[in-house]
Amino acid sequence: MTLVDDHLYSTFQPLLYQVATAGLNPGDVVYPAGGFAGRYGAIFRRGGLASVDPASRTVKLTTGLEFGYDYLILATGVSASYYGIKGAAEHTFGLYTRTDAIALRDHLMAGFERLSEGADDMSITVVGGGATGVELAGTLAELAVTVLRATFPDVDPSLVHVRVVEMAPSLLGPFHEKLREYARVQLVKRGVDIRLNTRIEEVTADQVLLADGEKLATDLTVWAAGVGAARDVASWGLPQGKGGRIVVGPDLRVQGQDRIFAVGDIAVNPGDPTPQLAQPAMQMGRHSAAQIVRLHRQLPTQPFTYHDKGVMATIGRRSAVVQLAQGPRLTGTLAWLAWFALHLFYLFGGRNRVSTLINLTYRYLAWGHGGAVIVGDDPGDPEALEAPETLETSEAPSDPADPAGSAASPAPE
């Protein structure tokens, strides 16, 4: 069993926005891939997937390494999709990788510093009203008050303007209407400007141009509007569907292939699509492994069935929404505590859990007194200098309320 990844670590994406807003150290949300593989007796090889040859059952990595396989599972995930919007790839920050979070954090803190040096104001635009956009916007609005009060007491927090631009008629599309409205009200209370039913025509270095001709001044634009497969997926020679994702059958084997599986965000079953969230990805991983065991025993495969456990998203301090598939809908402090506990539970590594618990507890307990602000790259980490992993596609979104790419957190098992 061999685990291959382009990075030396696995990233816990649901907490990347905490890294971007200086609440967590980048090392708190990553876990060594080699250590994880070694725990189960597997081999780890670093490298991206360059090509797949089903006929000879071989794969080639970007490092030049080539090796054979009996069964192959593709779980490469996806990255930002800009839907062909001019300038979006060049002038926005993503929040899909650890590198993205570090770059966003440093630009954010630099913007606060410019305010202290006499800048007139600072406008931050978050494109996308899914869970990632809502979590980021709410934390940014709160952060502006606490950081400026503690670090730059001579700066008026009202000079920082946070807005969310969403083309759908509501935030948090996959959630119940009452939870969507709760999230909207909580963001407004934090001073966030919410633009719904709003389409973007172009993004420049200092403006977001809307389809109706309005121009929104912006100093920092974050893209949280959707995801798609990376460009190099097309070179693998496997069937692709919506968003460039690999088409699979009911048992998660790639269409037309007997020994290749695709799971998580990179996979799509046109007849029974699943949301691009954490729970489906984990369940698909377990299912594909079970099917390989069945195939090895010369048994027929079984179709994958997604067991929806619900979704949750946090808006800010003591404010979150929880929607269980079979249970109550929660808001406020109780939902926020549930969100906090669940993320600690799913985080890899005991050290990471302890560090995250300490940092976030201090951040929110000391709220109003500066909280915990963590800046600076991890010492001696060359990957902090890597370019953000993004892509651009020309596909237009078919459903404005599509939860794909929202990165909503899973509900408890």
Side-chain angles (χ1 to χ4, degrees):
M1 185 166 57
T2 303
L3 175 65
V4 178
D5 197 274
D6 203 22
H7 298 285
L8 294 173
Y9 52 81
S10 173
T11 303
F12 189 69
Q13 289 184 316
L15 288 178
L16 279 177
Y17 82 96
Q18 287 285 353
V19 176
T21 55
L24 290 178
N25 190 299
D28 294 340
V29 299
V30 298
Y31 190 80
F36 177 82
R39 183 191 306 173
Y40 298 97
I43 301 169
F44 174 73
R45 292 288 182 263
R46 184 178 183 184
L49 182 59
S51 63
V52 180
D53 187 348
S56 62
R57 295 185 199 165
T58 59
V59 295
K60 187 175 183 178
L61 306 186
T62 53
T63 59
L65 180 65
E66 186 173 345
F67 53 88
Y69 65 84
D70 292 307
Y71 295 96
L72 175 65
I73 300 178
L74 301 173
T76 55
V78 289
S79 189
S81 179
Y82 302 106
Y83 307 117
I85 295 177
K86 184 179 179 181
E90 296 81 8
H91 301 297
T92 66
F93 289 85
L95 197 54
Y96 300 96
T97 69
R98 171 186 169 280
T99 304
D100 291 342
I102 293 173
L104 178 56
R105 178 201 63 192
D106 291 347
H107 278 75
L108 179 65
M109 294 303 159
F112 288 157
E113 187 174 0
R114 283 193 294 272
L115 285 178
S116 70
E117 295 171 351
D120 294 335
D121 60 10
M122 180 180 178
S123 295
I124 305 170
T125 302
V126 179
V127 181
T132 299
V134 167
E135 291 177 339
L136 181 61
T139 306
L140 284 172
E142 293 179 335
L143 182 71
V145 176
T146 58
V147 169
L148 292 177
R149 180 181 299 169
T151 311
F152 307 110
D154 56 328
V155 177
D156 184 356
S158 65
L159 297 178
V160 179
H161 310 287
V162 180
R163 73 169 64 93
V164 174
V165 179
E166 168 60 48
M167 72 174 187
S170 65
L171 303 172
L172 298 178
F175 289 76
H176 187 273
E177 180 181 355
K178 291 184 178 180
L179 300 185
R180 297 199 298 262
E181 178 60 16
Y182 172 84
R184 187 194 67 80
V185 170
Q186 289 298 313
L187 287 180
V188 170
K189 285 183 178 180
R190 288 162 171 78
V192 178
D193 175 23
I194 301 175
R195 303 291 190 99
L196 302 176
N197 293 305
T198 303
R199 291 182 176 271
I200 296 175
E201 188 74 23
E202 181 181 354
V203 180
T204 69
D206 57 2
Q207 286 185 333
V208 173
L209 285 66
L210 305 183
D212 61 5
E214 184 179 0
K215 299 179 180 180
L216 304 177
T218 183
D219 298 290
L220 188 63
T221 305
V222 185
W223 194 266
V227 294
R231 289 189 182 125
D232 57 2
V233 174
S235 67
W236 299 348
L238 301 175
Q240 292 179 268
K242 180 181 178 183
R245 298 161 68 189
I246 297 174
V247 179
V248 300
D251 61 359
L252 302 182
R253 280 188 288 185
V254 174
Q255 192 176 78
Q257 300 295 329
D258 292 331
R259 293 174 173 266
I260 303 178
F261 292 78
V263 303
D265 290 353
I266 194 62
V268 59
N269 179 359
D272 186 21
T274 56
Q276 291 174 279
L277 306 174
Q279 278 293 343
M282 291 188 290
Q283 293 177 29
M284 292 167 80
R286 297 188 186 104
H287 182 83
S288 62
Q291 301 321 297
I292 290 176
V293 172
R294 292 182 65 85
L295 288 170
H296 185 66
R297 295 173 177 173
Q298 298 183 340
L299 298 173
T301 59
Q302 298 173 324
F304 170 72
T305 301
Y306 170 48
H307 300 284
D308 184 9
K309 299 176 182 179
V311 289
M312 57 172 56
T314 182
I315 298 132
R317 179 176 181 257
R318 300 182 65 180
S319 180
V321 291
V322 174
Q323 178 174 298
L324 300 177
Q326 303 294 329
R329 294 185 291 269
L330 306 176
T331 61
T333 301
L334 182 60
W336 182 72
L337 291 173
W339 170 90
F340 195 178
L342 183 70
H343 282 69
L344 285 178
F345 175 80
Y346 276 106
L347 195 60
F348 271 145
R351 187 206 68 83
N352 285 4
R353 292 191 183 101
V354 172
S355 179
T356 298
L357 176 63
I358 292 173
N359 285 331
L360 291 187
T361 299
Y362 178 72
R363 177 176 216 183
Y364 290 117
L365 286 179
W367 206 266
H369 301 282
V373 177
I374 301 172
V375 296
D377 295 334
D378 285 349
D381 186 359
E383 292 193 353
L385 302 178
E386 293 177 347
E389 300 166 9
T390 58
L391 73 149
E392 185 173 9
T393 71
S394 58
E395 178 189 5
S398 59
D399 183 0
D402 189 353
S406 65
S409 304
E413 292 198 13

